[in-house]
Structures are given as structure tokens and as C-alpha cells.
């Protein structure tokens, strides 16, 4: 018994997240000490027991009295589960709390797999009845993905954002773009042209598949811009060095002059003396740093987009299939009475 | 989630930061799926049913074939693709008339209409016990509750007050009862099958003599008889042909007698003809006994050369043939003022008329496993096995160690001889039907 309690507490801690105090966030899976989990388990156990005890003459199927009972229960549950879409939009009004509704939605939805499967009596075939059953299973499967997504991804989003909202990150990218442009202007027109092109081509987000896979096309011409910038800096450095290596004058004078010139050039290369070229190098350095920061931000923004896409993708399966399921369910019930 | 695409900070092309911005929708796919399903799974099938579509086309069209909730039973597959054969009216459960269109004049459970009404069997539908869409053999269920619903508690029904409770062959089935011939009356009696049960057919026949392992003197010499030499299976193997003197007995037992020195072969099965022949012969002058043939090796019948005297002076000579010399060896004789005659044997074709026992599946079991003929000295012995013998191999429907057997393996429900479905229906209508016919 104590072993079970330990497992339960570990589970609670994992799902509750950081901290154990009840005033902290409680996962919707453990709402009210997992009340709906218990209710769903009891429901499944009851259904299974009655199913095992029932021994109808024609064999177990959806058309025995138990089949009709379980089918009615399943249909009512499906209808109530679909109603969550309405209830969650009327957040303040309505009975109970939306968190409780979500918890019940999850566990009663999972219980449906047991209840409806017993209702079928395991008689499946290529017909409209099994179509409804199959749609229901797909809806539940997508919901299972949703539960695991909701349990894992929000924490990852928070960690990735690191106290910055998406909008704030986008604004930062904007200001970094402008800073880069301003810096490039100060160097030379070629750099400015390339920087402007990179700014206009930076890609944030992408197609649905890019979003879900997390593999985006290269973030603009950043790498091209980087290469260009590094090449530029190398050029300028070489110019400074070669400028320092002036044509040799004759004799000792030339040597002193040469050495003096070297020292001068070395000092210039370190940026102590702000000549035009030295300024360009320093600006280039800043440009490179700005570009690197922007790239970092774009990566974070794209990761945020990916995480949110993965958090919501299942809804594009869950909800249209629920509507399809409701249609198939109504037809399934109607057909039973059409060909009674 | 459905926000407009985020404007790019520089006001250039908008960035796509979510699935909905990438064009994914919730509402439109939902509506499309719902409309598609309604069309293909409800409206088109209804339309096709209305206009009537041949069964061959149904396989490729979205027809009501997709409304079937399970496989049609083997017997009904021949028309099973045409749902309207049984489901004649929408929203109305399948009516008995649909079944009786082919299974017309189906026998009821018994001939006592009042008893059927007591048990509620007159209002049960075919579909109460016969289920479709449940697999190849669903239409005839083997669940014992079909019968045990009533027969497990017979005290609830006045017509079952003398019937024992039955629910399971292994655990709750009464000992067998048999319908046997009784000496001195033409009506048969239903008695418990036990060691004392006797079936008085009027024949005298010792099985043990005839089945002697050492053999008997047959027509062509020594012969060891087997069961099948006399008990010939019917074509189809369910039962046996009735025993006939001409085929099964005559080869060894000719009805030879001599009267007044004349050798007679009496006709079998006709008392009057035999008596007439005997009387004619008895009225003739006796012939001298022929001299013996010296070299003959024929077995000499005891008394063959005895002087029989003159039958004309022996008034009981003819009766003596019946009562002692010939007929009485195998038959019981009735003597009254008209003289002696052979009593017609009451041979029983089946001792359990309310059950069906098929010998064909039991062909591989030796006859003596169930029938103790080797030890029987008297034809009155009823050589049927009691229920314990059957239970050696047959168990209840849920048995794991014996052959799973249920009620309908041996019994039938539709076993009335007179009362049919239509008859019961018209009886239920009663005087209303009479009025209609009179109009």
C-alpha cells in the first residue's frame, strides 16, 4: 500500500510541476485530487463487470439491452464532451469551473474507449456503425496527443521565451535590424546594400510543415552577410597592415621610420588611432555582433513558433473529426431504427 | 488562434507565426466532413433504396449495404444483399410475414393452442429467437437459454406441470423417457428408461444367441452375425430400416412344416393365408412318409420320421402349427374362438419421438458401446442407453472436457404436427375471421 502511495505522490509531483504546495498550479489531470480519473475508472470497471456477467442468447452485440444501454451512455457522453467547445467559450457562466470540465472531458473521453468498445460487443465491420467507432477512436487518439502536448510543451515555451514575449522578441529583432542598417551605412555602400537585403529577407516562421518540423529555411542571408562582413574585416585589416608596411626608405632612417611605422600600424590595427579604416573595422565588429544577436533571437522566435504549432496541431484533427463523429453518430442511431 | 498574420516589423511581407496564419482551418474541414458523411452514409443510400438498385451494383455504390450491422447468415446470403426483403418498411421492426414468405406454414412448438397461449408463445416474433447479422450461423442460436427460459422453471406454466426442469445437459437434464409398446394394448406408453423398461413388441428374439461370437448356422454355413446384418441404416444414415422377415430372417428361418406327410412352406405375414393352406392340407389324406435316403448327409430333423397320424382326425393340428410348431417360435400367439393366430408385432421405429437422434455421427462408435445386445436374451429388453451413457461424451454448452451440446442438438422447437403459424394466427383472430369469410 505504501508503495502505491509513493508512486502516486511521484506522479502528482511530476504532473504538478515545481513545488508541492496545494496553492501552486495543479494540472488539469489532477483537478480535485484526480476526481474525474477515479470516476472514469469506476465507470469502466462497472461497464466491464456488467458486460462479463451478461450472457445474451444472440451473443454480445450492440442490439442487446446492455448494448442499447451502453450505446445510450456513450452517445450522451460524446454529446457532453463535444459541448466543452461551447462551455469553454462562456468561461464565467455555467456550472462548475472550466478546469473541472476539461479534467472531466479528458477522463470521460478516455473512458469512452472502454464503454463504446463494450457496446460494440467487438462486432466490427465495414459499415457506418464501425465508421462512427473509428472516428471516435481517432478523436480520442488526437486528444491523447493533446494531453501529452499540454503536459510537456508549455514548460518548454516558458524556458525558451526566457521572460520575453513573442511580440517583444519581434520588436527587438526590428530594432536590431535598424541598428544593423545604421552601422552598415557607416562602413560603405556595398555593406549597406548587403545588410539591407539581409534585413528584408530574414525569415521568421514559415509554412505549416516548417513550423511543425522545426526545420526552417536558412534565416535569410545572415550567413552570407556574416561571411561578407568577415571578409570585409579581413580586407580592412590587411589594408592597415600593408599600409603600415610603407615602401622602404634608405638606411637607418628608413629602419627607424619603418619600425615607427610598424608600431603606428599595429596601434592603428588595435583601434587606438581612429582612422577611417579603423573605424570601419570597429563598426564591422559591432555589425557582426548585432547580426549574431538577431540570429539568436530569430532562432528563439522560430522555436517558439514551432512549440506553439506542436501544441495546437492536434486540434485541427480533434475538432473536425468530432464534428464528423457527431454526424456519423446521428446516422448510426437513425439507421438502427430505420432498419429496426 | 486565428489572428491576422503578424505584420513584419519593417512593414514588408507578413511573417507567419502560427498554423492558422499558415492557412489551417477548423471550421471548413469540419463542415465538409459532416456534409460528406451525411450524403454518402444517409441520403444517397436512402435515395438508392427508393429507386431500387440491383444487388450487383450495390457493392460499388454507397448503398444501404453499409447499414448492415454484421454478416448475414449462410442460409440467407442468397438474397441478403437486398435489405428490403426483410426490412420491408422503414422504422418498423422486421415482421413475421417477411420470414413466412419463404418459411410458410411453419409448425408451432406444440399442437395445444391453449398451452401455447399460456406460455406466451403465440405472440413471440420470429425475431425473438432467430437473430440475423451475427455471423454465418447466427440465425439458429445454440444458447440453452432459448429453451431454458421456460423449461428451467416449468412450474410457471400449467401445461408443463408434469415436465421436469431442464437447463443444461450435463447438470440439469432429467433421465430419458421412452415411448414403448405395452402388452395387451395398442396405445403406447411413455415410461422412464431404466433397467425395468420393456418394449413388448410381441416378438421372441434372443440377441445373445444370434450374436454368438462362435457363429451360428446360417443359410450358407457357419456365420458370425453383426448388428448391420439385420439393422440396415436408412439412406442418409439417420435411422434404420424397419426389420422385414423376407430380408432379415427368411434366409435362415423358412416356415417349413409337414402336415399329413406333405411338406409345406407357410406364407409369412398373413394369418388367413397360412391357416387356409394348413386347413386344405389337413383335409387331405396323409401321405406315407418317404423312405429315408441312405447316403444323405442332411441333418435329420428330430421327429422327421415320426408318425404324425391323420390330421383329419386331429382337430387341433392346424392350431398346433401356430401355437407350438412354427409361429410360436418367434411370435406371441393369440387364441380365441376363431382359432390361433399370430399377433401382429408392434415394432417401434423410434422410442423417443420428441427427440432426434442421428446415428450417422455415431457410426464410428461401436454399436455395443451403447446397446447391450450381446447380453440380451429377450426381445422385450429395451436396449437403449440411459443418459449416463450419453454424458460420457456429451457435456453442456460451456463444457471444456466434453462435446459441447445444447438443446437443439437433439430436440426441435417447431415440432407440432397440426398447428402451423397461419393456423395459430387465424385462431387468434378467432370469430373475426369467421365473420369475414361469411361476408
Amino acid at each position: 500500500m505504501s508503495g502505491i502511495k509513493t508512486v502516486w505522490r511521484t506522479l502528482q509531483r511530476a504532473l504538478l510541476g515545481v513545488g508541492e504546495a496545494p496553492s501552486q498550479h495543479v494540472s488539469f489531470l489532477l483537478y480535485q485530487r484526480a476526481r474525474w480519473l477515479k470516476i472514469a475508472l469506476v465507470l469502466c470497471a462497472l461497464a466491464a463487470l456488467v458486460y462479463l456477467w451478461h450472457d445474451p442468447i444472440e451473443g454480445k452485440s450492440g442490439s442487446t439491452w446492455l448494448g442499447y444501454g451502453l450505446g445510450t451512455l456513450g452517445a450522451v457522453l460524446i454529446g457532453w464532451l463535444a459541448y466543452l467547445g461551447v462551455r469553454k467559450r462562456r468561461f464565467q457562466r455555467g456550472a462548475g469551473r472550466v478546469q473541472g470540465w476539461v479534467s472531466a472531458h479528458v477522463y470521460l473521453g478516455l473512458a469512452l474507449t472502454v464503454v463504446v468498445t463494450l457496446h460494440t460487443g467487438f462486432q466490427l465491420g465495414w459499415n457506418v456503425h464501425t465508421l462512427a467507432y473509428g472516428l471516435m477512436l481517432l478523436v480520442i487518439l488526437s486528444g491523447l496527443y493533446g494531453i501529452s502536448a499540454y503536459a510537456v510543451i508549455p514548460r518548454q515555451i516558458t524556458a525558451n521565451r526566457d521572460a520575453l514575449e513573442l511580440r517583444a522578441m519581434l520588436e527587438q529583432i526590428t530594432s536590431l535590424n535598424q541598428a544593423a542598417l545604421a552601422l552598415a551605412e557607416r562602413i560603405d555602400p556595398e555593406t549597406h546594400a548587403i545588410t539591407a537585403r539581409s534585413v528584408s529577407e530574414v525569415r521568421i516562421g514559415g509554412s505549416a510543415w516548417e513550423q511543425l518540423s522545426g526545420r526552417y529555411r536558412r534565416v535569410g542571408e545572415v550567413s552570407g552577410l556574416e561571411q561578407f562582413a568577415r571578409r570585409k574585416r579581413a580586407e580592412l585589416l590587411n589594408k592597415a597592415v600593408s599600409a603600415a608596411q610603407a615602401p622602404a626608405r634608405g638606411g637607418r632612417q628608413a629602419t627607424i621610420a619603418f619600425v615607427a611605422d610598424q608600431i603606428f600600424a599595429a596601434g592603428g590595427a588595435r583601434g587606438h588611432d581612429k582612422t577611417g579604416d579603423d573605424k570601419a573595422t570597429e563598426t564591422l565588429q559591432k555589425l557582426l555582433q548585432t547580426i549574431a544577436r538577431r540570429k539568436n533571437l530569430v532562432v528563439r522566435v522560430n522555436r517558439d513558433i514551432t512549440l506553439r504549432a506542436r501544441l495546437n496541431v492536434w486540434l485541427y484533427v480533434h475538432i473536425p473529426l468530432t464534428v464528423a463523429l457527431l454526424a456519423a453518430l446521428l446516422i448510426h442511431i437513425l439507421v438502427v431504427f430505420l432498419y429496426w | 488562434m486565428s489572428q491576422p498574420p503578424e505584420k513584419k516589423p519593417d512593414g514588408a511581407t507578413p511573417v507567419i507565426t502560427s498554423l492558422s496564419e499558415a492557412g489551417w482551418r477548423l471550421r471548413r474541414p469540419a463542415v465538409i466532413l459532416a456534409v460528406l458523411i451525411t450524403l454518402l452514409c444517409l441520403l444517397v443510400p436512402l435515395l438508392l433504396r427508393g429507386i431500387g438498385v440491383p444487388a450487383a451494383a450495390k457493392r460499388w455504390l454507397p448503398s444501404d449495404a453499409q447499414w448492415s450491422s454484421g454478416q448475414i447468415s449462410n442460409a440467407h446470403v442468397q438474397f441478403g444483399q437486398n435489405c428490403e426483403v426483410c426490412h420491408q418498411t422503414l422504422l418498423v421492426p422486421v415482421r413475421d410475414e417477411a420470414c413466412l414468405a419463404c418459411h410458410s406454414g411453419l409448425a408451432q412448438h406444440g399442437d395445444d393452442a391453449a398451452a401455447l397461449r399460456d406460455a406466451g408463445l403465440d405472440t413471440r416474433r420470429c425475431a425473438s429467437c432467430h437473430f440475423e447479422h451475427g455471423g454465418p450461423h447466427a440465425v439458429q442460436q445454440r444458447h440453452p437459454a432459448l429453451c431454458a427460459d421456460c423449461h428451467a422453471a416449468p412450474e410457471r406454466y400449467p401445461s408443463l406441470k408434469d415436465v421436469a426442469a431442464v437447463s443444461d445437459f450435463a447438470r440439469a437434464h432429467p433421465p430419458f423417457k421412452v415411448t414403448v409398446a405395452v402388452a395387451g394394448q395398442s396405445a403406447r406408453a411413455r415410461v422412464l428408461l431404466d433397467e425395468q423398461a420393456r418394449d413388448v413388441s410381441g416378438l421372441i428374439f434372443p440377441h445373445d444367441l444370434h450374436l454368438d461370437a462362435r457363429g451360428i448356422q446360417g443359410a450358407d454355413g457357419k456365420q458370425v452375425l453383426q448388428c448391420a446384418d439385420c439393422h440396415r441404416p436408412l439412406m442418409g444414415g439417420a435411422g434404420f430400416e424397419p426389420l422385414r422377415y423376407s430380408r432379415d430372417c427368411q434366409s435362415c428361418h423358412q416356415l417349413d412344416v409337414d402336415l399329413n406327410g406333405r411338406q409345406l412352406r407357410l406364407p409369412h405375414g398373413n394369418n388367413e393365408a397360412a391357416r387356409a393352406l394348413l386347413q386344405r392340407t389337413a383335409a387331405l389324406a396323409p401321405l406315407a412318409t418317404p423312405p429315408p435316403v441312405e447316403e444323405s448327409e442332411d441333418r435329420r430333423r428330430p421327429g422327421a420320421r415320426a408318425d404324425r397320424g391323420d390330421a383329419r382326425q386331429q382337430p387341433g393340428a392346424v392350431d398346433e402349427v401356430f401355437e407350438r410348431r412354427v409361429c410360436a417360435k418367434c411370435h406371441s400367439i393369440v387364441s380365441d374362438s376363431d382359432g390361433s393366430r399370430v399377433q401382429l408385432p408392434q415394432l417401434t421405429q423410434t422410442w423417443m419421438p420428441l427427440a432426434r437422434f442421428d446415428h450417422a455421427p455415431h457410426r464410428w462408435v461401436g454399436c455395443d458401446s451403447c446397446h447391450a445386445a450381446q447380453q440380451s436374451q429377450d426381445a422385450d429388453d429395451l436396449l437403449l442407453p440411459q443418459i449416463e451413457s450419453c454424458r460420457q461424451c456429451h457435456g453442456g454448452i460451456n463444457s471444456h472436457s466434453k462435446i459441447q451440446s445444447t438443446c437443439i442438438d437433439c430436440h426441435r422447437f417447431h415440432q407440432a404436427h397440426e398447428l402451423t403459424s397461419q393456423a395459430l394466427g387465424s385462431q387468434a383472430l378467432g370469430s373475426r375471421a369467421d365473420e369475414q369469410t361469411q361476408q
Side-chain angles (χ1 to χ4, degrees), chain A residues 298-337:
Chain A
V298 170
V299 165
R300 276 173 63 192
V301 164
N302 280 344
R303 173 138 177 87
D304 185 80
I305 292 170
T306 295
L307 288 173
R308 280 188 300 110
R310 290 178 185 167
L311 189 64
N312 293 323
V313 63
W314 62 282
L315 283 164
Y316 292 88
V317 172
H318 196 72
I319 293 174
L321 285 188
T322 296
V323 174
L325 164 63
L326 288 171
L329 180 66
L330 285 171
I331 293 173
H332 157 70
I333 295 171
L334 178 65
V335 158
V336 163
F337 294 112

Side-chain angles (χ1 to χ4, degrees), chain A residues 34-279:
Chain A
R35 165 204 289 178
W36 287 103
L37 168 62
K38 295 168 190 165
I39 293 175
L41 282 174
V42 166
L43 177 66
C44 290
L46 269 176
L49 280 174
V50 178
Y51 179 84
L52 287 172
W53 159 85
H54 184 228
D55 184 20
I57 289 172
E58 69 264 45
K60 300 189 210 265
S61 75
S63 52
T64 63
W65 66 261
L66 181 64
Y68 273 95
L70 287 175
T72 307
L73 176 64
V76 164
L77 274 176
I78 287 175
W80 181 84
L81 260 53
Y83 189 68
L84 177 67
V86 177
R87 172 70 179 89
K88 75 169 192 178
R89 282 172 171 79
R90 299 200 217 125
F91 197 84
Q92 310 255 323
R93 290 175 286 154
R97 297 162 58 187
V98 175
Q99 195 185 21
W101 274 64
V102 172
S103 185
H105 180 98
V106 164
Y107 286 116
L108 292 179
L110 288 171
L112 265 184
T113 49
V114 172
V115 168
V116 174
T117 304
L118 294 180
H119 158 71
T120 69
F122 299 92
Q123 289 201 15
L124 304 171
W126 294 104
N127 50 53
V128 70
H129 315 285
T130 306
L131 171 69
Y133 178 69
L135 284 172
M136 185 201 78
L137 288 181
L138 285 174
V139 168
I140 293 175
L141 214 62
S142 60
L144 272 171
Y145 170 86
I147 297 173
S148 51
Y150 275 10
V152 166
I153 294 182
R155 210 170 303 151
Q156 292 176 340
I157 293 178
T158 309
N160 179 56
R161 283 187 178 176
D162 201 10
L164 266 182
E165 272 188 67
L166 175 68
R167 218 170 292 252
M169 282 197 268
L170 288 172
E171 281 168 5
Q172 272 206 8
I173 292 174
T174 308
S175 60
L176 284 172
N177 277 338
Q178 288 166 350
L181 277 172
L183 285 169
E185 226 171 352
R186 299 218 303 264
I187 297 176
D188 63 19
E190 189 191 356
T191 314
H192 181 260
I194 291 188
T195 309
R197 197 178 66 193
S198 153
V199 158
S200 70
E201 285 179 353
V202 69
R203 282 188 58 84
I204 297 174
S207 74
W209 304 113
E210 282 180 336
Q211 288 182 38
L212 286 169
S213 66
R215 276 195 279 271
Y216 296 86
R217 269 183 29 214
R218 299 224 277 174
V219 186
E221 295 269 56
V222 170
S223 48
L225 177 54
E226 265 186 71
Q227 274 174 17
F228 170 81
R230 284 189 215 282
R231 210 170 17 100
K232 195 78 180 173
R233 184 177 69 175
E235 270 178 33
L236 289 172
L237 276 175
N238 285 340
K239 253 172 70 179
V241 168
S242 58
Q245 292 174 337
R249 296 189 208 128
R252 231 176 338 153
Q253 184 79 5
T255 313
I256 291 169
F258 176 75
V259 170
D261 277 346
Q262 285 276 34
I263 294 169
F264 192 69
R270 278 195 292 268
H272 287 150
D273 195 21
K274 301 274 197 258
T275 61
D277 281 347
D278 299 333
K279 266 209 187 111

